[in-house]
Amino acid sequence: YESPLRYYRIVDEEADIRDLEVGDLNDMESDVPAPFLEHLRSERDRPPGPRGVSAEEFELDPSITAAGGTTMVMATMALDWSEKHGQHGTDHLAQVWATMLESGSLTAKTFAVDPGQILFVTYRPKEAQDIK
């Protein structure tokens, strides 16, 4: 291995130190590009948004934090129903619910994952509340 450092020569040490100066570490606005400075100021001046979600609210309904994208809801049938109807009954129930949701103008897809468990997937988070 040959070090590339042997090809470099310091011409002006003071100029190099001046160029590498990071500015005042206690001042967030020194030595930053103008676009970042504008972003920093706009974030600081922005009015506070809606209040956050508490841990208890999130525990009750994790989909409450979904602002967009895919939302999933799982329906689990009672154990005796699952034992009685099995995977075939779950598949049939998922098809029936998919038809009912479509009739109600909801765009959720249904998947019978296990006997007695159906997964609903929607791309509109507000629909998750309607599915529940």
Side-chain angles (χ1 to χ4, degrees):
Y1 171 76
E2 186 178 343
S3 173
L5 296 177
R6 71 184 198 130
Y7 297 106
Y8 297 104
R9 187 169 54 95
I10 297 175
V11 177
D12 186 356
E13 183 178 338
E14 290 177 9
D16 287 348
I17 291 172
R18 203 173 38 251
D19 289 344
L20 294 174
E21 176 63 37
V22 294
D24 186 2
L25 295 177
N26 295 322
D27 183 10
M28 283 285 294
E29 295 183 1
S30 69
D31 290 347
V32 294
F36 177 75
L37 189 56
E38 290 172 19
H39 170 72
L40 187 65
R41 288 180 180 158
S42 68
E43 285 294 314
R44 191 180 316 129
D45 297 340
R46 186 176 60 173
R51 78 168 180 85
V53 178
S54 71
E56 292 79 21
E57 290 172 322
F58 180 76
E59 209 171 290
L60 291 173
D61 183 14
S63 68
I64 199 167
T65 60
T70 306
T71 303
M72 294 182 254
V73 177
M74 181 72 76
T76 304
M77 273 38 91
L79 182 61
D80 58 340
W81 187 96
S82 301
E83 289 173 343
K84 180 178 179 184
H85 297 282
Q87 184 66 41
H88 179 70
T90 306
D91 290 336
H92 177 70
L93 187 59
Q95 290 174 349
V96 169
W97 280 359
T99 305
M100 289 171 46
L101 290 171
E102 193 175 326
S103 298
S105 300
L106 298 176
T107 58
K109 295 181 181 180
T110 59
F111 301 94
V113 240
D114 281 328
Q117 286 191 329
I118 299 175
L119 176 66
F120 298 92
V121 179
T122 180
Y123 300 103
R124 298 179 187 153
K126 298 221 184 274
E127 289 184 356
Q129 293 298 92
D130 296 334
I131 292 170
K132 288 180 182 181

